[in-house]
Structures are given as C-alpha cells and as structure tokens.
Amino acid sequence: NIDNVLKKNNISKVDGIVFDLGISSYQLLSAERGFSFRLEGPLDMRMDKTSYILAYDLVNNLTEKEISDILWSFGQERWHNRIARYLVRERSYSPIATTGQLKDIVSRAMPHKFGMHSRIHPATRTFQALRIAVNRELEALEEALGKVPEFLKNGSSVCVISFHSLEDRIVKYNFKEFAQKGIYRIVTKKPLLPECEETRDNPRARSAKMRVASRV
C-alpha cells in the first residue's frame, strides 16, 4: 500500500526508501499468533488479523501436493514431500490445530539421522513456508518494489534488507530489471552482509542481506 499511503499524505516524491523485511520479535513471541514452534498456540500465523486465511486452513484443507509445493517454494524444505504426506495422514484422524501438533508431526516426518545432525529445528522451514504463504509476503514484496520508482526523486536511493534467499532473489531481479530499463543504478553489486562484530552484538542480523539501488 506504499502508493496509497504516500498519495493520501500528498507526498509525490521522497528522498529515499528503506525496506526492513524482518519479522517483529513481538509477533514471534506472541503465542496467540502461532508464528513460533517454541510456543504452544493456535495455527494462525496472520500478521493482519482481518485476513481470512489461517495456517490452519492450509494444513488441513490443501491437497498433499499443494502443501508439498508450499514447503518447497517458500521454505526450500528438502523433505517437503515426506512432511506433506505425514500431515495429510495425521489430519485424517483429527484436525491439526496447534503449533505443538504441527511441530511434532514435522519432527516425526524427518529422517532420524537428519534430525540428529541439523543445526536448526526440523520444523523451522515448515513454519517459515506456511507464514509466507498465509501472509503472501513474497507477492507483497514484488508489488511494493514495483511501485518504488514512481516516488523516488532522481539520485535518491532504495535500500532493502532481507533475511532469507527467497526475498533477496526478488530484490536482486527487481533491481536488475529496472537497471536494464535505465531507471536504476545498482549501488551494491553484491549484497552487503553484517560483519562479525555486528552478528556478535545482534545475532538476529546474521542472515541479513542489504541491497541498494539509486534512481537515475
């Protein structure tokens, strides 16, 4: 809604735009939102509480293939087919309604050896994929980035800080597309990464990637 917000406030051009695509820690720590497998809560995952699609709906109503596609496309989950199969089987007995149920099913779906040696919890990518799907995060990012050039003054910049490869890929190709059209000059040929000192002080920064482009 960047275009609607700026026009509503009678702003035609801006000196720069920063997108911080990180998730709010307060939301993640809210059990009632169901974002985290660390807290028992309902399978909701909506950032906008007025939205009508919940993670519950996806897990309990989509086909096995549709669930598998979400886990691969939005979570790059290696075991997407296996997890989807387990979810469909388990929901045939009773609905999967809580974060704890989902976490346990995904954990059981993982091959034993993989779970033992993984650095992240087995359910991490599944929860990420469902959250992205529920909130249509990648679609929203693409739409927002497409509207940016209209509002940037010449010589001003757009900066995007992303936190996983799916987001970074969208930013990379958006900047490249506008650069080829003579609209942007890409400032960061490669994404800027946090240095060791920053990740030590702020561990959540470890996966951040920043890209910057300037309006020609």
Side-chain angles (χ1 to χ4, degrees):
N1 292 315
I2 187 171
D3 51 341
N4 297 328
V5 173
L6 290 173
K7 289 175 181 177
K8 183 179 179 180
N9 288 277
N10 297 315
I11 299 172
S12 58
K13 296 291 182 180
V14 298
D15 297 309
I17 297 176
V18 177
F19 287 90
D20 177 353
L21 305 182
I23 303 299
S24 165
S25 300
Y26 295 106
Q27 288 181 325
L28 291 177
L29 294 174
S30 172
E32 67 178 24
R33 293 294 187 99
F35 285 120
S36 175
F37 50 79
R38 295 184 177 89
L39 299 170
E40 181 70 15
L43 272 185
D44 191 320
M45 298 194 188
R46 292 173 300 169
M47 293 182 185
D48 178 1
K49 295 289 281 186
T50 65
S51 176
Y52 59 90
I53 297 294
L54 285 68
Y56 175 96
D57 301 314
L58 302 185
V59 169
N60 289 286
N61 297 325
L62 295 183
T63 66
E64 181 177 322
K65 183 181 184 305
E66 287 171 331
I67 294 173
S68 178
D69 288 346
I70 285 176
L71 298 184
W72 174 248
S73 298
F74 299 149
Q76 298 176 304
E77 172 54 66
R78 175 183 177 185
W79 306 103
H80 56 105
N81 289 325
R82 188 180 174 106
I83 293 171
R85 186 166 64 249
Y86 268 66
L87 290 173
V88 170
R89 185 184 68 189
E90 291 294 328
R91 78 187 189 191
S92 67
Y93 304 123
S94 63
I96 303 167
T98 69
T99 54
Q101 286 178 281
L102 179 60
K103 177 185 71 173
D104 291 342
I105 294 168
V106 173
S107 296
R108 293 201 305 272
M110 290 290 186
H112 182 63
K113 291 183 179 179
F114 174 81
M116 287 178 61
H117 301 291
S118 176
R119 292 181 297 173
I120 64 172
H121 191 281
T124 299
R125 292 189 176 92
T126 294
F127 271 70
Q128 172 188 299
L130 291 172
R131 190 203 76 225
I132 289 174
V134 166
N135 297 288
R136 299 165 66 187
E137 294 176 28
L138 302 184
E139 180 182 335
L141 176 60
E142 289 182 332
E143 184 177 348
L145 290 175
K147 296 175 179 179
V148 166
E150 176 186 352
F151 298 98
L152 284 177
K153 296 178 182 178
N154 290 339
S156 60
S157 297
V158 54
C159 165
V160 185
I161 304 171
S162 61
F163 290 87
H164 59 74
S165 59
L166 298 174
E167 294 173 338
D168 181 61
R169 188 180 306 143
I170 290 173
V171 179
K172 175 183 177 181
Y173 286 109
N174 173 271
F175 283 7
K176 184 177 181 180
E177 177 184 353
F178 282 128
Q180 290 173 342
K181 294 178 179 178
I183 296 172
Y184 281 167
R185 177 180 65 84
I186 297 177
V187 178
T188 51
K189 302 303 179 184
K190 293 184 178 181
L192 299 179
L193 307 177
E195 296 181 349
C196 293
E197 182 179 359
E198 180 175 358
T199 55
R200 185 180 64 246
D201 294 339
N202 178 22
R204 292 174 182 171
R206 65 184 180 277
S207 59
K209 293 182 178 179
M210 185 172 76
R211 293 183 185 270
V212 182
S214 179
R215 183 73 160 92
V216 175

